[in-house]
Coordinates of all heavy atoms in Angstrom, one line a residue:
M983 N -10.5 32.6 1.4 CA -10.7 31.6 2.5 C -10.0 30.3 2.1 O -10.2 29.8 1.0 CB -12.1 31.4 2.8 CG -12.4 30.3 3.8 SD -14.1 29.9 4.0 CE -14.3 30.7 5.6
D984 N -9.2 29.8 3.0 CA -8.5 28.5 2.7 C -9.5 27.3 2.7 O -10.5 27.3 3.4 CB -7.5 28.2 3.7 CG -6.2 29.0 3.5 OD1 -6.1 29.7 2.5 OD2 -5.2 28.9 4.3
R985 N -9.2 26.4 1.8 CA -9.9 25.1 1.7 C -8.9 24.0 2.0 O -7.7 24.2 1.9 CB -10.5 25.0 0.4 CG -11.4 26.1 0.0 CD -12.9 25.7 0.2 NE -13.8 26.7 0.1 CZ -14.5 27.0 -0.9 NH1 -14.4 26.3 -2.0 NH2 -15.4 28.1 -0.9
A986 N -9.4 22.8 2.2 CA -8.5 21.6 2.4 C -9.1 20.5 1.6 O -10.3 20.3 1.4 CB -8.5 21.2 3.9
L987 N -8.2 19.7 1.0 CA -8.5 18.6 0.2 C -7.7 17.3 0.7 O -6.5 17.4 1.1 CB -8.2 18.8 -1.3 CG -8.8 20.0 -2.0 CD1 -8.3 20.1 -3.4 CD2 -10.3 19.8 -2.0
E988 N -8.3 16.2 0.6 CA -7.6 14.9 0.7 C -7.5 14.3 -0.7 O -8.5 14.1 -1.4 CB -8.4 14.0 1.6 CG -7.9 12.6 1.8 CD -8.8 11.7 2.5 OE1 -8.9 11.9 3.8 OE2 -9.4 10.7 2.0
I989 N -6.3 14.0 -1.1 CA -6.1 13.5 -2.4 C -5.4 12.2 -2.3 O -4.4 11.9 -1.6 CB -5.1 14.5 -3.2 CG1 -5.7 15.9 -3.2 CG2 -4.9 13.9 -4.6 CD1 -4.7 16.9 -3.6
H990 N -5.9 11.2 -3.0 CA -5.4 9.8 -3.0 C -5.0 9.5 -4.5 O -5.8 9.6 -5.4 CB -6.3 8.8 -2.5 CG -5.7 7.4 -2.6 ND1 -4.8 7.0 -1.7 CD2 -6.1 6.4 -3.4 CE1 -4.5 5.7 -2.0 NE2 -5.3 5.3 -3.1
I991 N -3.8 9.1 -4.7 CA -3.3 8.8 -6.1 C -2.9 7.3 -6.1 O -2.1 6.9 -5.2 CB -2.2 9.7 -6.4 CG1 -2.6 11.1 -6.4 CG2 -1.6 9.3 -7.8 CD1 -1.5 12.2 -6.6
E992 N -3.3 6.6 -7.1 CA -2.9 5.2 -7.3 C -2.2 5.1 -8.7 O -2.5 5.9 -9.6 CB -4.1 4.3 -7.3 CG -4.9 4.2 -6.0 CD -6.1 3.4 -6.1 OE1 -6.3 2.7 -7.1 OE2 -6.9 3.4 -5.1
G993 N -1.2 4.2 -8.7 CA -0.5 4.0 -10.0 C 1.0 3.8 -9.7 O 1.3 3.4 -8.6
V994 N 1.8 4.1 -10.6 CA 3.3 4.0 -10.4 C 3.7 5.4 -9.9 O 4.0 6.3 -10.6 CB 4.0 3.7 -11.7 CG1 5.5 3.6 -11.5 CG2 3.5 2.4 -12.3
V995 N 3.6 5.5 -8.5 CA 3.9 6.8 -7.9 C 4.9 6.6 -6.7 O 5.1 7.5 -5.9 CB 2.6 7.5 -7.4 CG1 1.8 7.9 -8.5 CG2 1.8 6.5 -6.5
Q996 N 5.5 5.4 -6.6 CA 6.5 5.2 -5.5 C 7.8 4.8 -6.2 O 7.8 4.0 -7.1 CB 6.0 4.1 -4.5 CG 4.7 4.5 -3.8 CD 4.3 3.6 -2.7 OE1 5.0 2.7 -2.3 NE2 3.0 3.7 -2.3
G997 N 8.9 5.4 -5.6 CA 10.2 5.1 -6.1 C 10.5 5.8 -7.4 O 11.4 5.5 -8.2
V998 N 9.7 6.8 -7.8 CA 9.9 7.6 -9.0 C 10.1 9.1 -8.7 O 9.9 9.9 -9.6 CB 8.8 7.4 -10.0 CG1 8.8 5.9 -10.5 CG2 7.4 7.7 -9.5
G999 N 10.3 9.5 -7.4 CA 10.4 10.9 -7.1 C 9.1 11.6 -6.9 O 9.1 12.9 -7.1
F1000 N 8.0 10.9 -6.7 CA 6.7 11.6 -6.7 C 6.5 12.4 -5.4 O 6.0 13.5 -5.6 CB 5.6 10.5 -6.7 CG 4.3 11.1 -7.2 CD1 4.1 11.3 -8.6 CD2 3.3 11.5 -6.4 CE1 2.9 11.8 -9.1 CE2 2.1 12.0 -6.8 CZ 1.9 12.2 -8.2
R1001 N 7.0 12.0 -4.3 CA 6.8 12.8 -3.0 C 7.6 14.1 -3.1 O 7.1 15.2 -2.9 CB 7.2 12.0 -1.8 CG 6.0 11.1 -1.3 CD 6.3 10.4 0.0 NE 7.6 9.6 -0.1 CZ 8.5 9.6 0.8 NH1 8.4 10.2 1.9 NH2 9.6 8.8 0.6
P1002 N 8.9 14.1 -3.6 CA 9.6 15.4 -3.7 C 8.9 16.2 -4.8 O 8.9 17.5 -4.6 CB 11.0 15.0 -4.2 CG 11.2 13.6 -3.7 CD 9.8 13.0 -3.7
F1003 N 8.4 15.6 -5.8 CA 7.6 16.4 -6.8 C 6.4 17.1 -6.2 O 6.2 18.3 -6.5 CB 7.2 15.4 -8.0 CG 6.0 16.0 -8.8 CD1 6.2 17.0 -9.7 CD2 4.8 15.3 -8.6 CE1 5.1 17.5 -10.4 CE2 3.7 15.8 -9.4 CZ 3.9 16.8 -10.3
V1004 N 5.7 16.4 -5.4 CA 4.5 16.9 -4.7 C 4.9 18.1 -3.8 O 4.3 19.1 -3.8 CB 3.7 15.8 -4.0 CG1 2.6 16.5 -3.1 CG2 3.1 14.8 -4.9
Y1005 N 6.0 17.9 -3.1 CA 6.5 19.0 -2.1 C 6.8 20.2 -3.0 O 6.4 21.3 -2.6 CB 7.7 18.5 -1.4 CG 8.4 19.5 -0.6 CD1 8.0 19.9 0.6 CD2 9.5 20.2 -1.1 CE1 8.6 20.9 1.3 CE2 10.2 21.1 -0.4 CZ 9.7 21.5 0.8 OH 10.3 22.5 1.6
N1006 N 7.5 20.1 -4.0 CA 7.9 21.3 -4.8 C 6.7 21.9 -5.5 O 6.7 23.1 -5.6 CB 9.0 20.9 -5.8 CG 10.3 20.6 -5.2 OD1 10.8 21.3 -4.3 ND2 11.1 19.6 -5.7
L1007 N 5.8 21.1 -6.0 CA 4.6 21.6 -6.6 C 3.8 22.4 -5.6 O 3.2 23.5 -5.9 CB 3.8 20.4 -7.2 CG 2.7 20.7 -8.1 CD1 3.2 21.4 -9.4 CD2 1.9 19.4 -8.5
A1008 N 3.7 21.9 -4.4 CA 2.9 22.6 -3.4 C 3.6 23.9 -3.1 O 2.8 24.9 -2.9 CB 2.9 21.7 -2.1
R1009 N 4.8 24.0 -3.0 CA 5.5 25.2 -2.7 C 5.2 26.2 -3.9 O 5.0 27.4 -3.6 CB 7.0 25.0 -2.6 CG 7.3 24.3 -1.3 CD 8.8 24.2 -1.0 NE 9.4 25.6 -1.1 CZ 10.4 26.1 -0.5 NH1 11.0 25.3 0.4 NH2 10.8 27.3 -0.6
Q1010 N 5.3 25.7 -5.1 CA 5.0 26.6 -6.2 C 3.6 27.2 -6.2 O 3.4 28.3 -6.7 CB 5.2 25.8 -7.6 CG 6.6 25.5 -7.9 CD 6.6 24.5 -9.1 OE1 5.6 24.3 -9.8 NE2 7.7 23.9 -9.4
H1011 N 2.6 26.5 -5.7 CA 1.3 26.9 -5.7 C 0.8 27.5 -4.3 O -0.4 27.8 -4.2 CB 0.4 25.7 -6.1 CG 0.5 25.4 -7.5 ND1 -0.1 26.0 -8.5 CD2 1.2 24.4 -8.1 CE1 0.2 25.5 -9.7 NE2 1.0 24.5 -9.4
G1012 N 1.7 27.6 -3.4 CA 1.4 28.2 -2.1 C 0.4 27.3 -1.3 O -0.4 27.7 -0.5
V1013 N 0.6 25.9 -1.5 CA -0.2 24.9 -0.8 C 0.5 24.4 0.4 O 1.7 24.0 0.3 CB -0.6 23.8 -1.8 CG1 -1.3 22.7 -1.1 CG2 -1.6 24.4 -2.9
L1014 N -0.2 24.2 1.5 CA 0.4 23.6 2.7 C -0.2 22.2 2.9 O -1.2 21.9 2.4 CB 0.1 24.4 4.0 CG 0.7 25.9 3.9 CD1 0.2 26.6 5.2 CD2 2.2 25.8 3.9
G1015 N 0.5 21.4 3.7 CA 0.0 20.1 4.0 C 1.0 19.0 4.2 O 2.1 19.3 4.7
W1016 N 0.7 17.8 3.7 CA 1.6 16.7 3.8 C 1.4 15.7 2.7 O 0.3 15.7 2.1 CB 1.6 16.0 5.2 CG 0.3 15.6 5.7 CD1 -0.5 16.3 6.7 CD2 -0.5 14.5 5.4 NE1 -1.6 15.7 6.9 CE2 -1.7 14.5 6.1 CE3 -0.4 13.4 4.5 CZ2 -2.7 13.6 6.0 CZ3 -1.3 12.5 4.3 CH2 -2.5 12.6 5.1
V1017 N 2.4 14.8 2.5 CA 2.3 13.8 1.5 C 3.0 12.5 2.1 O 4.0 12.7 2.8 CB 2.9 14.1 0.2 CG1 4.4 14.5 0.3 CG2 2.8 13.1 -0.9
R1018 N 2.4 11.3 1.8 CA 3.0 10.1 2.3 C 2.6 9.0 1.4 O 1.6 8.9 0.8 CB 2.5 9.8 3.8 CG 1.1 9.5 3.9 CD 0.7 9.1 5.3 NE -0.8 9.0 5.4 CZ -1.5 9.3 6.4 NH1 -0.9 9.8 7.5 NH2 -2.8 9.2 6.4
N1019 N 3.6 8.0 1.4 CA 3.3 6.8 0.7 C 2.5 5.9 1.5 O 2.6 5.9 2.8 CB 4.7 6.1 0.3 CG 5.4 6.7 -0.8 OD1 4.8 7.4 -1.6 ND2 6.7 6.5 -0.8
T1020 N 1.6 5.1 0.9 CA 0.8 4.1 1.6 C 0.9 2.8 0.7 O 1.5 2.8 -0.4 CB -0.6 4.4 1.7 OG1 -1.3 4.4 0.5 CG2 -0.8 5.8 2.4
S1021 N 0.4 1.7 1.3 CA 0.5 0.5 0.5 C -0.4 0.5 -0.7 O -0.3 -0.3 -1.7 CB 0.1 -0.7 1.4 OG -1.3 -0.5 1.8
A1022 N -1.3 1.5 -0.8 CA -2.2 1.7 -1.9 C -1.9 2.8 -2.8 O -2.6 3.1 -3.8 CB -3.7 1.9 -1.3
G1023 N -0.8 3.5 -2.5 CA -0.5 4.6 -3.4 C 0.1 5.8 -2.6 O 1.0 5.6 -1.7
V1024 N -0.3 7.0 -2.9 CA 0.1 8.2 -2.2 C -1.1 9.0 -1.7 O -2.0 9.2 -2.4 CB 1.0 9.1 -3.2 CG1 1.3 10.5 -2.6 CG2 2.2 8.4 -3.6
D1025 N -1.0 9.4 -0.5 CA -2.0 10.3 0.1 C -1.5 11.6 0.4 O -0.3 11.8 0.8 CB -2.4 9.7 1.5 CG -3.3 8.5 1.4 OD1 -3.9 8.3 0.3 OD2 -3.3 7.6 2.3
I1026 N -2.3 12.6 0.1 CA -1.9 14.1 0.2 C -3.0 14.8 1.0 O -4.2 14.6 0.7 CB -1.7 14.7 -1.2 CG1 -0.7 14.0 -2.0 CG2 -1.3 16.2 -1.0 CD1 -0.6 14.4 -3.5
H1027 N -2.6 15.6 1.9 CA -3.5 16.5 2.6 C -3.0 17.9 2.1 O -1.9 18.3 2.4 CB -3.5 16.4 4.1 CG -4.4 17.4 4.7 ND1 -5.7 17.2 4.9 CD2 -4.2 18.7 5.1 CE1 -6.3 18.3 5.5 NE2 -5.3 19.2 5.7
A1028 N -3.8 18.6 1.4 CA -3.5 19.9 0.8 C -4.4 21.0 1.3 O -5.7 20.9 1.3 CB -3.5 19.8 -0.7
E1029 N -3.8 22.2 1.7 CA -4.6 23.3 2.1 C -4.1 24.6 1.4 O -3.0 24.8 1.2 CB -4.5 23.5 3.6 CG -5.1 22.4 4.4 CD -5.1 22.7 5.9 OE1 -4.9 23.8 6.3 OE2 -5.5 21.7 6.7
G1030 N -5.1 25.4 1.0 CA -4.7 26.7 0.3 C -6.0 27.4 -0.2 O -7.1 26.9 0.1
L1031 N -5.7 28.3 -1.0 CA -6.8 29.1 -1.6 C -7.4 28.2 -2.7 O -6.7 27.4 -3.4 CB -6.3 30.4 -2.3 CG -5.8 31.3 -1.2 CD1 -5.1 32.6 -1.9 CD2 -6.9 31.9 -0.3
P1032 N -8.7 28.3 -3.0 CA -9.4 27.4 -4.0 C -8.7 27.4 -5.3 O -8.5 26.3 -5.9 CB -10.8 28.0 -4.0 CG -11.0 28.6 -2.7 CD -9.7 29.2 -2.3
D1033 N -8.3 28.5 -5.9 CA -7.7 28.6 -7.2 C -6.3 27.9 -7.1 O -5.9 27.1 -8.1 CB -7.5 30.0 -7.7 CG -8.9 30.6 -8.2 OD1 -9.8 29.8 -8.4 OD2 -8.9 31.8 -8.3
S1034 N -5.6 28.0 -6.0 CA -4.2 27.4 -5.9 C -4.4 25.9 -5.8 O -3.7 25.1 -6.4 CB -3.6 27.9 -4.6 OG -3.3 29.2 -4.8
L1035 N -5.4 25.4 -5.1 CA -5.7 24.0 -4.9 C -6.1 23.4 -6.3 O -5.6 22.3 -6.6 CB -6.8 23.7 -3.9 CG -6.3 23.9 -2.4 CD1 -7.5 23.8 -1.5 CD2 -5.2 23.0 -2.0
K1036 N -6.9 24.1 -7.0 CA -7.3 23.6 -8.3 C -6.2 23.4 -9.3 O -6.0 22.4 -9.9 CB -8.3 24.6 -8.9 CG -9.0 24.1 -10.3 CD -10.0 25.1 -10.8 CE -10.5 24.7 -12.1 NZ -11.6 25.5 -12.6
A1037 N -5.2 24.4 -9.3 CA -4.1 24.3 -10.1 C -3.1 23.2 -9.7 O -2.5 22.5 -10.5 CB -3.3 25.7 -10.2
F1038 N -3.0 23.1 -8.3 CA -2.2 22.0 -7.7 C -2.6 20.7 -8.1 O -1.8 19.8 -8.6 CB -2.1 22.2 -6.2 CG -1.5 21.1 -5.5 CD1 -0.1 21.0 -5.4 CD2 -2.2 20.2 -4.7 CE1 0.5 20.0 -4.7 CE2 -1.6 19.2 -4.0 CZ -0.2 19.1 -4.0
V1039 N -3.9 20.4 -8.0 CA -4.5 19.1 -8.4 C -4.3 18.8 -9.8 O -3.9 17.7 -10.2 CB -6.0 19.0 -7.9 CG1 -6.6 17.7 -8.5 CG2 -6.1 19.1 -6.4
A1040 N -4.5 19.8 -10.7 CA -4.3 19.6 -12.1 C -2.9 19.2 -12.5 O -2.6 18.3 -13.2 CB -4.8 20.8 -12.9
A1041 N -2.0 19.9 -11.8 CA -0.6 19.7 -12.1 C -0.1 18.3 -11.6 O 0.9 17.8 -12.1 CB 0.3 20.8 -11.5
L1042 N -0.8 17.7 -10.6 CA -0.3 16.4 -10.1 C -0.3 15.4 -11.3 O 0.6 14.5 -11.3 CB -1.3 15.9 -9.1 CG -1.2 16.6 -7.7 CD1 -2.3 16.2 -6.8 CD2 0.2 16.3 -7.1
T1043 N -1.2 15.5 -12.2 CA -1.1 14.5 -13.4 C -0.4 15.2 -14.6 O 0.3 14.5 -15.3 CB -2.6 14.1 -13.7 OG1 -3.4 15.2 -14.0 CG2 -3.1 13.2 -12.6
E1044 N -0.7 16.4 -14.8 CA -0.1 17.1 -16.0 C 1.4 17.2 -16.0 O 2.0 17.2 -17.0 CB -0.8 18.5 -16.2 CG -2.2 18.4 -16.5 CD -2.9 19.8 -16.4 OE1 -2.3 20.8 -16.2 OE2 -4.2 19.8 -16.6
Q1045 N 2.0 17.3 -14.8 CA 3.4 17.6 -14.6 C 4.2 16.5 -13.9 O 5.3 16.7 -13.4 CB 3.6 19.0 -14.0 CG 3.1 20.1 -14.7 CD 3.2 21.4 -13.9 OE1 4.0 21.6 -13.0 NE2 2.4 22.4 -14.3
A1046 N 3.5 15.4 -13.7 CA 4.1 14.2 -12.9 C 5.5 13.9 -13.4 O 5.8 14.1 -14.6 CB 3.2 13.1 -13.0
P1047 N 6.4 13.4 -12.6 CA 7.7 12.9 -13.1 C 7.6 12.0 -14.2 O 6.6 11.2 -14.3 CB 8.3 12.2 -11.8 CG 7.5 12.8 -10.6 CD 6.1 13.1 -11.2
P1048 N 8.6 11.9 -15.1 CA 8.5 11.1 -16.3 C 8.2 9.6 -16.0 O 7.5 9.0 -16.8 CB 9.9 11.2 -16.9 CG 10.5 12.5 -16.3 CD 9.8 12.7 -15.0
L1049 N 8.7 9.0 -15.0 CA 8.5 7.6 -14.7 C 7.2 7.3 -14.0 O 6.9 6.2 -13.8 CB 9.7 7.0 -13.9 CG 11.1 7.0 -14.6 CD1 12.2 6.5 -13.7 CD2 11.0 6.2 -15.9
A1050 N 6.5 8.3 -13.5 CA 5.3 8.2 -12.7 C 4.1 7.9 -13.7 O 4.1 8.4 -14.8 CB 5.0 9.4 -11.9
R1051 N 3.2 7.1 -13.3 CA 2.0 6.8 -14.1 C 0.8 6.9 -13.1 O 0.6 6.0 -12.2 CB 2.0 5.4 -14.7 CG 3.2 5.2 -15.7 CD 2.9 6.0 -17.0 NE 4.0 5.8 -17.9 CZ 5.0 6.7 -18.0 NH1 5.1 7.8 -17.3 NH2 6.0 6.5 -18.9
V1052 N 0.0 7.9 -13.2 CA -1.2 8.1 -12.4 C -2.3 7.3 -13.0 O -2.8 7.7 -14.1 CB -1.5 9.6 -12.2 CG1 -2.8 9.7 -11.4 CG2 -0.4 10.3 -11.5
H1053 N -2.8 6.3 -12.4 CA -3.9 5.5 -12.8 C -5.3 6.0 -12.3 O -6.3 5.8 -13.0 CB -3.7 4.0 -12.5 CG -2.5 3.4 -13.2 ND1 -1.9 2.3 -12.6 CD2 -1.8 3.7 -14.3 CE1 -0.9 2.0 -13.4 NE2 -0.8 2.8 -14.4
H1054 N -5.2 6.5 -11.1 CA -6.5 7.0 -10.5 C -6.1 8.1 -9.5 O -5.2 7.9 -8.7 CB -7.2 5.8 -9.7 CG -8.5 6.2 -9.1 ND1 -9.6 6.5 -9.8 CD2 -8.7 6.5 -7.8 CE1 -10.5 6.9 -8.9 NE2 -10.1 6.8 -7.7
L1055 N -6.9 9.2 -9.5 CA -6.8 10.2 -8.6 C -8.1 10.6 -8.0 O -9.1 10.8 -8.8 CB -6.1 11.5 -9.3 CG -5.9 12.7 -8.4 CD1 -4.6 13.4 -8.9 CD2 -7.0 13.6 -8.4
S1056 N -8.3 10.6 -6.7 CA -9.5 11.0 -6.1 C -9.3 12.2 -5.2 O -8.2 12.3 -4.5 CB -10.1 9.8 -5.3 OG -9.3 9.4 -4.2
V1057 N -10.3 13.0 -5.1 CA -10.2 14.3 -4.3 C -11.5 14.4 -3.5 O -12.5 14.2 -4.0 CB -10.0 15.5 -5.2 CG1 -10.0 16.8 -4.4 CG2 -8.9 15.4 -6.1
R1058 N -11.2 14.6 -2.2 CA -12.3 14.9 -1.2 C -12.1 16.1 -0.4 O -11.0 16.3 0.0 CB -12.6 13.7 -0.3 CG -13.0 12.5 -1.0 CD -13.3 11.3 -0.2 NE -12.9 11.4 1.3 CZ -13.0 10.3 2.1 NH1 -13.4 9.2 1.7 NH2 -12.6 10.5 3.4
A1059 N -13.2 16.9 -0.2 CA -13.0 18.1 0.7 C -12.8 17.6 2.1 O -13.4 16.6 2.6 CB -14.3 18.9 0.5
R1060 N -12.0 18.3 2.9 CA -11.7 18.1 4.2 C -11.7 19.4 5.0 O -11.8 20.5 4.5 CB -10.3 17.4 4.4 CG -10.3 16.0 4.0 CD -11.1 15.2 4.9 NE -11.1 13.8 4.7 CZ -12.1 13.0 4.8 NH1 -13.2 13.5 5.2 NH2 -11.9 11.8 4.7
Q1061 N -11.7 19.2 6.3 CA -11.6 20.4 7.2 C -10.3 21.0 7.3 O -9.2 20.2 7.3 CB -12.0 20.0 8.6 CG -12.1 21.1 9.6 CD -12.6 20.6 11.0 OE1 -12.8 19.4 11.2 NE2 -12.9 21.5 11.8
V1062 N -10.1 22.3 7.2 CA -8.8 23.0 7.3 C -8.3 22.7 8.7 O -9.0 22.8 9.7 CB -9.0 24.5 7.0 CG1 -7.7 25.2 7.3 CG2 -9.5 24.7 5.6
R1063 N -7.0 22.4 8.8 CA -6.3 22.1 10.1 C -5.5 23.4 10.4 O -5.1 24.2 9.6 CB -5.4 21.0 10.0 CG -6.2 19.7 9.6 CD -5.3 18.5 9.4 NE -5.9 17.3 9.1 CZ -5.4 16.1 9.1 NH1 -4.2 16.0 9.5 NH2 -6.1 15.1 8.8
T1064 N -5.1 23.5 11.7 CA -4.1 24.5 12.1 C -2.7 24.1 11.7 O -2.5 22.9 11.4 CB -4.2 24.7 13.6 OG1 -3.7 23.5 14.2 CG2 -5.6 25.1 14.1
A1065 N -1.8 25.0 11.7 CA -0.4 24.7 11.3 C 0.1 23.6 12.2 O 0.9 22.7 11.8 CB 0.4 25.9 11.4
H1066 N -0.2 23.6 13.5 CA 0.3 22.6 14.4 C -0.2 21.2 14.0 O 0.5 20.2 14.1 CB -0.1 23.0 15.9 CG 0.2 21.9 16.9 ND1 1.5 21.7 17.3 CD2 -0.5 21.0 17.5 CE1 1.5 20.6 18.1 NE2 0.3 20.2 18.3
Q1067 N -1.5 21.2 13.7 CA -2.1 19.9 13.3 C -1.4 19.3 12.0 O -1.3 18.1 11.9 CB -3.5 20.0 13.1 CG -4.3 20.2 14.4 CD -5.8 20.5 14.1 OE1 -6.1 21.3 13.2 NE2 -6.7 19.9 14.9
L1068 N -1.0 20.2 11.1 CA -0.3 19.7 9.9 C 1.0 19.0 10.2 O 1.4 18.1 9.4 CB -0.1 20.9 9.0 CG -1.3 21.4 8.3 CD1 -0.9 22.7 7.5 CD2 -2.0 20.4 7.4
L1069 N 1.6 19.3 11.3 CA 2.9 18.7 11.6 C 2.7 17.4 12.4 O 3.7 16.6 12.5 CB 3.8 19.7 12.4 CG 4.1 21.0 11.8 CD1 4.9 21.9 12.7 CD2 4.9 20.7 10.5
D1070 N 1.5 17.1 12.9 CA 1.3 15.9 13.6 C 1.3 14.6 12.7 O 0.9 14.7 11.7 CB 0.0 16.0 14.4 CG 0.2 17.0 15.6 OD1 1.3 17.3 15.9 OD2 -0.9 17.4 16.1

Protein backbone atom coordinates (compact mmCIF):
# COMPACT_ATOMS: atom_id res chain seq x y z
CA MET A 1 0.00 0.00 0.00
CA ASP A 2 1.31 3.43 -0.91
CA ARG A 3 2.10 6.02 1.72
CA ALA A 4 2.71 9.75 1.45
CA LEU A 5 5.22 11.98 3.21
CA GLU A 6 5.75 15.72 3.47
CA ILE A 7 9.47 16.43 3.75
CA HIS A 8 10.95 19.82 4.56
CA ILE A 9 14.69 20.39 4.26
CA GLU A 10 16.61 23.41 5.55
CA GLY A 11 20.22 24.30 4.86
CA VAL A 12 22.27 24.98 1.75
CA VAL A 13 19.86 23.32 -0.68
CA GLN A 14 19.19 26.02 -3.25
CA GLY A 15 21.45 26.74 -6.20
CA VAL A 16 23.40 23.50 -5.70
CA GLY A 17 21.39 21.13 -7.93
CA PHE A 18 19.25 19.82 -5.10
CA ARG A 19 15.90 19.74 -6.95
CA PRO A 20 17.30 17.74 -9.92
CA PHE A 21 18.99 15.45 -7.38
CA VAL A 22 15.63 14.87 -5.63
CA TYR A 23 13.92 14.19 -8.98
CA ASN A 24 16.53 11.58 -9.99
CA LEU A 25 16.53 10.03 -6.53
CA ALA A 26 12.75 9.70 -6.60
CA ARG A 27 12.91 7.96 -9.99
CA GLN A 28 15.53 5.53 -8.66
CA HIS A 29 13.30 4.61 -5.72
CA GLY A 30 9.98 4.54 -7.59
CA VAL A 31 8.69 7.54 -5.64
CA LEU A 32 6.13 9.98 -7.09
CA GLY A 33 5.37 13.55 -6.04
CA TRP A 34 6.88 17.00 -6.35
CA VAL A 35 9.72 19.17 -5.08
CA ARG A 36 9.90 22.96 -4.81
CA ASN A 37 12.12 25.67 -3.37
CA THR A 38 10.65 27.92 -0.71
CA SER A 39 12.07 30.88 1.19
CA ALA A 40 12.73 28.45 4.07
CA GLY A 41 14.37 25.61 2.12
CA VAL A 42 12.98 22.78 0.00
CA ASP A 43 9.58 21.10 0.31
CA ILE A 44 8.93 17.61 -1.05
CA HIS A 45 5.70 15.64 -1.32
CA ALA A 46 6.66 11.98 -1.83
CA GLU A 47 4.44 8.94 -2.39
CA GLY A 48 5.37 5.29 -2.71
CA LEU A 49 5.78 2.01 -0.92
CA PRO A 50 6.95 2.29 2.70
CA ASP A 51 10.37 0.70 2.06
CA SER A 52 10.93 2.90 -1.00
CA LEU A 53 10.07 6.03 0.97
CA LYS A 54 12.37 5.03 3.83
CA ALA A 55 15.29 4.55 1.43
CA PHE A 56 14.43 7.79 -0.40
CA VAL A 57 14.42 9.85 2.82
CA ALA A 58 17.72 8.32 3.98
CA ALA A 59 19.35 9.05 0.62
CA LEU A 60 18.32 12.72 0.76
CA THR A 61 21.10 13.34 3.28
CA GLU A 62 23.44 10.42 2.59
CA GLN A 63 23.75 11.10 -1.16
CA ALA A 64 23.13 14.87 -1.34
CA PRO A 65 25.04 16.88 -3.97
CA PRO A 66 28.58 17.84 -2.87
CA LEU A 67 27.77 21.54 -2.36
CA ALA A 68 24.53 20.87 -0.44
CA ARG A 69 24.43 21.03 3.36
CA VAL A 70 21.32 19.64 5.03
CA HIS A 71 20.97 21.29 8.44
CA HIS A 72 17.47 20.05 9.27
CA LEU A 73 15.11 17.50 7.73
CA SER A 74 11.56 16.96 8.95
CA VAL A 75 9.13 14.28 7.77
CA ARG A 76 5.37 14.12 8.33
CA ALA A 77 2.85 11.56 7.12
CA ARG A 78 0.33 12.90 4.63
CA GLN A 79 -2.68 11.65 2.69
CA VAL A 80 -1.96 9.88 -0.59
CA ARG A 81 -3.11 11.97 -3.57
CA THR A 82 -4.28 10.88 -6.99
CA ALA A 83 -1.98 11.30 -9.99
CA HIS A 84 -4.05 14.30 -11.11
CA GLN A 85 -3.63 16.00 -7.75
CA LEU A 86 0.15 15.53 -7.88
CA LEU A 87 0.25 17.67 -11.02
CA ASP A 88 -1.75 20.56 -9.52
